[in-house]
């Protein structure tokens, strides 16, 4: 009971503490419209998966990283995600796709429709990680072009990216200190083994921090095409 009250309070104060009132209000409006678009898209009905955001009464008892995921988890909408992926030279550069904060795996599943070399999901919450695993098993699509998945349950702040050319993806996953660690790991990996790295960022709240590293250029940007969508930016490592 105490955990549930604490979690409910966190769901309200967490986003405000991290993003401020204005940004939280804007996100809440988008999430409301995104849920309507979700229902129209019917991704889970089509593919037999569970990638939607619902918080049940049972979930409110969550502890540790699972509690953190309660307010943070929301799946990427399929159509803007496809628009982002289709800007990347997926086949030409034989990229490994890495979703940093992969949640229930929606972005991993949609990415598997493209000819990535491999697909990696990094997720902090054991509960969401387990749902993503089950989704990979259940997912059925005749147009799937990549079948090599790796799901990791860990803090993205400790993650060292693989040695291939990379398409990193983030949908407002974590606070700025975690982002700084992620970018530092990418930097030392690229210094050791220079290669092409793209960072696709949906709702790039920490754009300034990415650019302040001096290691990226804003390569392509996109605007929302409906009320439930966000801006996005693809950065290219210099
Ligand atoms: C907005 S959701 C995005 C889910 C997924 N990428 C998608 O687009 O469908 C952000 C996810 O990041 C996860 N997350 C938060 N902090 C994390 C961290 N430090 N390391 C790894 N995952 C994290 C949350 O649990 C949540 O599942």
């Amino acid at each position: 009971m105490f955990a549930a009250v604490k979690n409910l309070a966190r769901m309200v104060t967490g986003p405000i503490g991290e993003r401020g009132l204005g940004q939280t209000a804007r996100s809440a409006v988008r999430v409301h419209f995104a849920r309507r678009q979700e229902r129209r898209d019917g991704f889970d009905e089509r593919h037999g998966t569970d990638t939607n955001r619902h918080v049940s009464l049972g979930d409110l008892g969550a502890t540790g990283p699972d509690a953190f995921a309660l307010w943070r988890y929301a799946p990427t909408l399929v159509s803007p995600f496809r628009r982002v992926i289709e800007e990347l030279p997926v086949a030409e550069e034989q990229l490994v796709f890495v979703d940093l904060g992969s949640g229930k795996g929606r972005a991993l599943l949609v990415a598997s429709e493209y000819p990535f070399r491999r697909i990696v999901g990094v997720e902090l919450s054991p509960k969401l990680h387990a749902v993503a695993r089950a989704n990979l098993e259940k997912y059925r699509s005749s147009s799937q072009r990549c079948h090599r998945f790796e799901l990791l349950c860990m803090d993205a702040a400790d993650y060292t990216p693989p040695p291939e050319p990379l398409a990193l993806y983030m949908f407002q996953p974590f606070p700025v200190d975690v982002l700084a660690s992620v970018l530092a790991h990418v930097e030392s990996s690229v210094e050791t083994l220079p290669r092409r790295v793209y960072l696709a960022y949906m709702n790039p709240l920490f754009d300034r921090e990415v650019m302040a590293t001096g290691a990226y250029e804003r390569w392509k940007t996109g605007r929302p095409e409906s009320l439930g969508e966000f801006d996005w930016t693809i950065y290219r490592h210099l």
Side-chain angles (χ1 to χ4, degrees):
M1 182 65 183
F2 179 64
V5 173
K6 210 165 146 193
N7 282 335
L8 276 172
R10 263 206 207 111
M11 286 172 76
V12 179
T13 56
I16 297 172
E18 186 176 300
R19 298 164 192 172
L21 198 54
Q23 192 57 253
T24 302
R26 276 192 289 280
S27 282
V29 172
R30 287 202 194 283
V31 167
H32 167 75
F33 284 104
R35 290 174 85 134
R36 287 171 52 167
Q37 195 165 324
E38 293 270 329
R39 285 196 285 276
R40 285 197 300 274
D41 282 354
F43 180 88
D44 285 334
E45 287 73 20
R46 260 201 324 285
H47 298 292
T49 49
D50 161 21
T51 60
N52 274 317
R53 179 182 208 271
H54 24 237
V55 178
S56 68
L57 277 178
D59 291 333
L60 288 178
T63 53
D66 287 331
F68 191 53
L70 279 177
W71 66 266
R72 215 167 255 284
Y73 178 67
T76 298
L77 283 177
V78 174
S79 25
F81 182 70
R82 283 192 189 284
R83 266 180 257 129
V84 171
I85 295 275
E86 285 168 12
E87 294 292 341
L88 292 167
V90 178
E92 292 86 340
E93 305 209 23
Q94 272 286 286
L95 302 169
V96 174
F97 177 86
V98 182
D99 186 4
L100 296 157
S102 45
K104 294 184 174 181
R106 161 96 58 90
L108 308 177
L109 296 172
V110 181
S112 75
E113 303 285 317
Y114 297 84
F116 285 106
R117 188 186 287 209
R118 277 183 310 119
I119 292 176
V120 182
V122 182
E123 172 55 48
L124 185 65
S125 152
K127 183 165 179 187
L128 295 181
H129 169 75
V131 177
R133 273 202 179 293
N135 281 333
L136 290 194
E137 292 292 315
K138 287 188 252 173
Y139 189 66
R140 295 286 167 266
S141 164
S142 54
S143 47
Q144 204 171 5
R145 295 170 76 186
C146 177
H147 297 270
R148 294 185 64 200
F149 291 97
E150 184 183 5
L151 290 194
L152 303 170
C153 186
M154 63 180 290
D155 191 335
D158 302 324
Y159 176 68
T160 302
E164 297 101 333
L166 297 170
L168 304 171
Y169 176 68
M170 302 191 302
F171 173 34
Q172 50 185 35
F174 26 65
V176 73
D177 57 322
V178 177
L179 176 66
S181 300
V182 167
L183 296 178
H185 281 296
V186 173
E187 217 37 49
S188 59
S189 171
V190 175
E191 261 168 38
T192 312
L193 190 67
R195 60 201 187 280
R196 185 51 78 198
V197 175
Y198 300 91
L199 169 63
Y201 192 178
M202 190 69 81
N203 195 17
L205 295 176
F206 302 130
D207 169 84
R208 216 175 28 192
E209 286 76 5
V210 175
M211 293 308 290
T213 62
Y216 295 88
E217 63 173 340
R218 282 190 204 93
W219 187 55
K220 296 190 176 178
T221 57
R223 302 280 301 152
E225 292 189 7
S226 73
L227 291 171
E229 297 184 7
F230 291 95
D231 290 327
W232 53 264
T233 299
I234 300 176
Y235 305 86
R236 188 163 63 166
H237 197 278
L238 297 168

